[in-house]
Amino acid sequence: MPRYKLEIEYDGTGFVGWQRQENGPSVQQSIEEAVEKFCGTVTNVPSAGRTDSGVHARAMVAHVDIDGDYQGAKVRDAINFHLKPRPIAILSAERVSEEFHARFSCVRRAYEYRITNRRMPLALDVNRTWRVWPSLDADAMDDAAQVLVGRHDFTTFRSVKCQSESAVKSLEEISVMRAGEDVFIRCAARSFLHNQVRSFAGTLAEVGKGKWTKRDLSDALNAADRARCGPVAPPEGLYFIRADYAAGNRS
Amino acid sequence: MPRYKLEIEYDGTGFVGWQRQENGPSVQQSIEEAVEKFCGTVTNVPSAGRTDSGVHARAMVAHVDIDGDYQGAKVRDAINFHLKPRPIAILSAERVSEEFHARFSCVRRAYEYRITNRRMPLALDVNRTWRVWPSLDADAMDDAAQVLVGRHDFTTFRSVKCQSESAVKSLEEISVMRAGEDVFIRCAARSFLHNQVRSFAGTLAEVGKGKWTKRDLSDALNAADRARCGPVAPPEGLYFIRADYAAGNRS
């Protein structure tokens, strides 16, 4: 069957997460059901990342096999039609080779964590950011964060429920940048552990408040001990923003 | 009683608008009730702008008289505490003179209208922007919009329900700017008519699509005829962003 690569935006607030589960609506199930309504194909839609409940995506990548030969734009519009009124939008659908796999072919994933650094409650951005106060030193956070770059045992920064065989991963890059009252943490790696970015964000916020030093962060990393992690930041500030594939997998 | 100037952010989605009405919750009533819970003062809270249902504010200005001598920060935090969990946030509260009036002392108001120019439905920004397709020429919109600047009879661009005595107003400035898939229309004037900015936005979108020329816009303005207005843009793209006061009114 023809395979299509999908780029997807979603508001994770009302979902149990990306992955199909018994206990509530998931993004994956919503898309699978929309595909079935469109063309009758009952299928599994794998993705580059399995986000938790409340976590958003600006450009999640998934793939779907569809029984029928359609233009990408037709696939995109038809799935969007059947997704209504759920807060999920297929941004693009592109025909790819059968070797393309949204999860296994992905060579690089990127997340953004948004903190709104203010005392006042949120009104316009409820469920879209983590409100933190007192004032954060974003430069100190950026400087400290660099100790996380490279190949490390990230046991400190993964959920005890993480199902990855190994906690050893390579973090390619991380940056912390202030824009007005927002502080953005962006990071990229071939793959991430469960709750890794939220563990980074919560711990880096402690650095921003001056409660942790760069040395404290480095020591916590080297301890490879989950008990040494700072607070885990809440899901609503986290966005899956990008998945990259080797050029040969694109079509 | 001491008077405080309030700067307020709100999500207008679930409200009948700023102004207290019989038919549902308003932003004004929510704030008045929070003030009463805080200090027992039953009061009227006037504002610089009376936004419609669904219209948002990044920095609405209002004032309140409070029976008691408090620091501004205390007033801000106390009202915010009693506003929970409503999507309204007092950004600042500042002691001002009794001559200050949020509505009558205001010398300049500014609004922003956000259009998201894409074919795909909205997921993350539902109720925060007006989705428009096909592609808009923002430069053509900006150029045409300049015919609106200055002193005109804006009958074409005001709701038939507008209660203003005169339709003659001076538009100080208007600009249209693209930022990625968003197109922002910003405008400022001493005062605006009911639905004026939404009438501008809907009509300018017709210019952006190439259906109206700059000349068509100019003719519609000069006709001073409500029937000549383009479609009125929906409330969810509109934000009250700023109110200015003469320096002498600040304290």
Side-chain angles (χ1 to χ4, degrees):
Chain A
M1 281 197 280
R3 179 162 290 186
Y4 296 85
K5 176 188 176 195
L6 307 176
E7 233 184 5
I8 309 157
E9 175 185 295
Y10 56 83
D11 167 8
T13 309
F15 296 102
V16 295
W18 168 268
Q19 201 163 23
R20 201 182 255 271
Q21 287 176 49
E22 292 300 320
N23 62 329
S26 61
V27 179
Q28 184 181 37
Q29 181 180 0
S30 302
I31 295 172
E32 287 168 358
E33 288 176 358
V35 169
E36 189 180 350
K37 283 182 193 158
F38 158 43
C39 60
T41 312
V42 177
T43 185
N44 172 48
V45 178
S47 68
R50 286 165 297 175
T51 54
D52 281 339
S53 178
V55 174
H56 315 297
R58 293 204 184 281
M60 176 58 76
V61 174
H63 76 254
V64 60
D65 295 329
I66 283 182
D67 199 2
D69 188 20
Y70 300 99
Q71 300 266 25
K74 169 71 185 167
V75 170
R76 178 196 67 198
D77 292 350
I79 302 177
N80 280 334
F81 178 81
H82 292 290
L83 278 169
K84 275 190 284 186
R86 295 179 189 82
I88 305 173
I90 310 296
L91 301 181
S92 68
E94 179 195 352
R95 183 78 180 264
V96 288
S97 83
E98 284 173 45
E99 278 79 55
F100 177 89
H101 192 288
R103 182 175 173 196
F104 299 119
S105 312
C106 183
V107 296
R108 193 167 181 269
R109 293 155 169 95
Y111 284 92
E112 179 176 273
Y113 196 95
R114 179 182 174 199
I115 295 172
T116 299
N117 187 27
R118 73 181 200 184
R119 179 178 177 87
M120 297 75 77
L122 301 168
L124 281 163
D125 293 320
V126 174
N127 290 140
R128 293 288 178 279
T129 184
W130 180 32
R131 186 181 66 82
V132 172
W133 191 248
S135 183
L136 298 174
D137 181 341
D139 291 336
M141 293 166 71
D142 185 61
D143 179 51
Q146 303 316 312
V147 307
L148 302 168
V149 174
R151 189 172 167 83
H152 301 286
D153 178 332
F154 283 107
T155 296
T156 304
F157 299 102
R158 76 158 164 173
S159 164
V160 292
K161 290 183 284 182
C162 181
Q163 292 170 4
S164 179
E165 279 181 35
S166 167
V168 176
K169 295 280 177 189
S170 285
L171 182 69
E172 291 179 26
E173 52 182 290
I174 184 165
S175 68
V176 183
M177 198 191 67
R178 176 177 285 276
E181 66 182 10
D182 284 336
V183 173
F184 293 99
I185 302 168
R186 295 196 185 93
C187 49
R190 184 172 187 98
S191 62
F192 286 91
L193 299 161
H194 190 200
N195 278 178
Q196 189 177 358
V197 183
R198 289 168 54 191
S199 297
F200 285 170
T203 306
L204 286 170
E206 298 296 292
V207 174
K209 291 173 189 170
K211 293 186 183 174
W212 283 50
T213 63
K214 182 178 186 175
R215 178 63 187 271
D216 294 334
L217 184 69
S218 175
D219 289 349
L221 171 67
N222 294 330
D225 174 3
R226 180 61 172 162
R228 298 287 296 274
C229 185
V232 175
E236 60 266 27
L238 187 59
Y239 296 75
F240 187 98
I241 58 170
R242 186 175 169 142
D244 290 325
Y245 296 85
N249 277 315
R250 292 301 285 270
S251 63
Chain B
M1 280 197 281
R3 179 161 289 185
Y4 295 85
K5 176 188 176 196
L6 307 177
E7 232 185 5
I8 308 157
E9 175 185 295
Y10 56 82
D11 167 8
T13 309
F15 297 102
V16 293
W18 167 269
Q19 201 163 22
R20 201 183 256 271
Q21 287 176 49
E22 292 301 319
N23 62 330
S26 62
V27 179
Q28 184 181 38
Q29 181 180 1
S30 301
I31 295 172
E32 287 167 359
E33 288 176 358
V35 169
E36 190 181 349
K37 283 183 192 157
F38 157 44
C39 61
T41 311
V42 177
T43 186
N44 171 47
V45 177
S47 67
R50 286 165 297 173
T51 54
D52 280 339
S53 179
V55 174
H56 315 296
R58 293 203 185 282
M60 177 57 77
V61 173
H63 77 253
V64 60
D65 294 328
I66 284 183
D67 199 3
D69 188 20
Y70 301 99
Q71 299 266 26
K74 169 71 185 167
V75 170
R76 178 196 67 199
D77 293 349
I79 301 177
N80 280 333
F81 177 81
H82 291 290
L83 279 169
K84 275 190 285 188
R86 295 179 189 81
I88 305 172
I90 310 296
L91 302 181
S92 67
E94 179 194 353
R95 183 78 180 264
V96 288
S97 83
E98 284 173 45
E99 279 78 55
F100 176 90
H101 193 288
R103 182 174 173 197
F104 300 118
S105 312
C106 184
V107 296
R108 193 167 182 269
R109 291 153 170 97
Y111 284 91
E112 179 176 272
Y113 196 94
R114 180 183 173 197
I115 295 173
T116 299
N117 187 27
R118 74 181 199 184
R119 180 176 176 87
M120 298 75 77
L122 301 168
L124 280 162
D125 293 319
V126 175
N127 290 141
R128 293 287 179 277
T129 184
W130 180 31
R131 187 182 65 83
V132 171
W133 190 248
S135 184
L136 298 174
D137 181 341
D139 290 337
M141 292 165 72
D142 185 61
D143 180 50
Q146 303 316 312
V147 307
L148 303 167
V149 174
R151 188 173 169 83
H152 302 286
D153 178 332
F154 283 107
T155 296
T156 304
F157 300 101
R158 75 158 166 175
S159 165
V160 292
K161 290 183 284 181
C162 182
Q163 293 170 3
S164 179
E165 279 181 37
S166 166
V168 177
K169 295 281 177 188
S170 285
L171 183 68
E172 291 180 25
E173 52 182 290
I174 184 165
S175 67
V176 183
M177 197 192 68
R178 177 176 284 276
E181 66 182 11
D182 283 336
V183 173
F184 293 99
I185 301 169
R186 295 196 185 92
C187 50
R190 184 173 186 97
S191 62
F192 286 91
L193 299 160
H194 190 200
N195 278 178
Q196 189 177 357
V197 184
R198 289 169 54 192
S199 297
F200 286 169
T203 306
L204 287 170
E206 298 297 292
V207 174
K209 290 174 188 169
K211 293 186 183 173
W212 284 49
T213 63
K214 182 177 186 174
R215 178 63 187 271
D216 294 334
L217 185 69
S218 176
D219 289 349
L221 171 68
N222 294 331
D225 174 2
R226 180 60 172 164
R228 297 287 296 274
C229 186
V232 176
E236 60 265 27
L238 186 59
Y239 296 76
F240 186 100
I241 59 170
R242 185 173 170 144
D244 290 326
Y245 296 86
N249 278 313
R250 293 300 287 269
S251 60

